[in-house]
Amino acid sequence: MWVTVATPEEVAALRAAGSFPLHKTRKGGIEALALAPDAPGLVASAGGDGSVQLYDVTATRSVAELLGHTKRVTGVAFAGSARVVLSASADHTVRVWRAADEGYAQAAAVDAGAEVVAVAAHPTCPYAVSAAADGSWALDDVEEGARLATVRDEEAAAYSTAALHPDGLILVTGTTEGAVRVWETRTQKRVAAFGEHSGAIAGVSFSENGYHMATAAADGVRLWDLRKLKNFATLTPFGENVPATCVSFDHSGLYLAVGGPEGTHAVRFGPDAKSLLVGASDHNLRYFTL
């Protein structure tokens, strides 16, 4: 697998190849990014302006604009392919979008009852997993556009982010108070909890093999071994007491991208870590490549 992955020297040599203004400047910029699993270069960008933009960074062209949310879009994901997009919003909804004859059309809107802070697609089932600011998470049927289950965390004041493990068996939720909780998606039971961060959890990412997890918060990045449920390293790439705003492993698990406090809200590696996408508060999608 690692034969084609970028070397450390190549990652260090990534240079800006484009900056694309995808969202309105007055609305907070880009909140989240997702890469299509079957369409190299296709990026979904969640905007503070309430839109989802689909953009092809290799062809440098807009593919579609998804309109329907009435408040900022906080999360976005592709569900299995480029043909189905999930979006989460502060307008209390999770929405499903499907490729149509001309662009994309909204297929469903599920009322979450509170601001939704994150959404992910289950890797093996047509389900969406989302987390809300009221300290609840939910499973939605993507095909039917219906809510299957809502799980309330009685100990969490509010969720700030969430991420689904690559095998879909566990969900990790982060709270505004720095706690990290691990849930089994099948039984909807909490199986572990960590509380070592200070400040809200800003981002969660898993290595593709599922062994390691990274969490970002005001006190930096912590790396966790999920087999031992142990924090084995703490990173402060921007200095002590300087917050990390987002975090993302590359597909190989060899590299970790971390966003800093200068308006970076989302980071994603492209295939083989030979490109990097950065979403910022100034509404620009930045594309770095060899």
Side-chain angles (χ1 to χ4, degrees), residues 70-88:
T70 58
K71 293 185 178 180
R72 63 190 179 93
V73 183
T74 56
V76 65
F78 287 97
S81 76
R83 298 187 59 82
V84 183
V85 179
L86 308 174
S87 59

Side-chain angles (χ1 to χ4, degrees), residues 15-231:
R15 294 293 181 265
S19 182
F20 314 112
L22 300 188
H23 298 274
K24 295 182 178 65
T25 57
R26 67 182 185 277
K27 293 293 186 177
I30 295 172
E31 300 277 341
L33 295 172
L35 277 70
D38 57 346
L42 182 60
V43 183
S45 170
D49 60 359
S51 74
V52 175
Q53 302 290 334
L54 299 186
Y55 194 85
D56 189 328
V57 294
T58 54
T60 61
R61 67 180 183 90
S62 176
V63 174
E65 181 180 44
L66 313 185
L67 299 175
H69 285 294
T70 58
K71 293 185 178 180
R72 63 190 179 93
V73 183
T74 56
V76 65
F78 287 97
S81 76
R83 298 187 59 82
V84 183
V85 179
L86 308 174
S87 59
S89 173
D91 69 4
H92 297 201
T93 65
V94 174
R95 302 191 185 219
V96 181
W97 312 81
R98 295 187 184 277
D101 293 337
E102 296 183 6
Y104 285 69
Q106 181 177 299
V110 181
D111 185 0
E115 291 190 8
V116 189
V117 298
V119 66
H122 196 283
T124 62
C125 305
Y127 297 157
V129 182
S130 60
D134 65 352
S136 68
W137 64 271
L139 287 170
D140 296 327
D141 187 319
V142 172
E143 300 289 346
E144 300 295 329
R147 180 132 297 186
L148 300 175
T150 299
V151 181
R152 303 215 170 264
D153 188 342
E154 301 300 333
E155 298 179 20
Y159 285 153
S160 52
T161 191
L164 192 62
H165 192 273
D167 64 13
L169 295 179
I170 62 171
L171 172 76
V172 168
T173 54
T175 77
T176 57
E177 298 174 346
V180 178
R181 310 203 196 290
V182 183
W183 303 80
E184 188 179 70
T185 54
R186 183 178 60 85
T187 63
Q188 290 108 53
K189 302 294 185 182
R190 197 178 83 183
V191 294
F194 312 115
E196 299 185 33
H197 272 296
S198 63
I201 306 300
V204 179
S205 182
F206 295 99
S207 62
E208 187 61 27
N209 63 14
Y211 297 158
H212 298 139
M213 177 179 72
T215 53
D219 53 1
V221 174
R222 295 184 186 271
L223 298 178
W224 307 85
D225 187 329
L226 293 175
R227 296 164 295 183
K228 301 177 181 178
L229 298 179
K230 181 180 180 181
N231 171 216

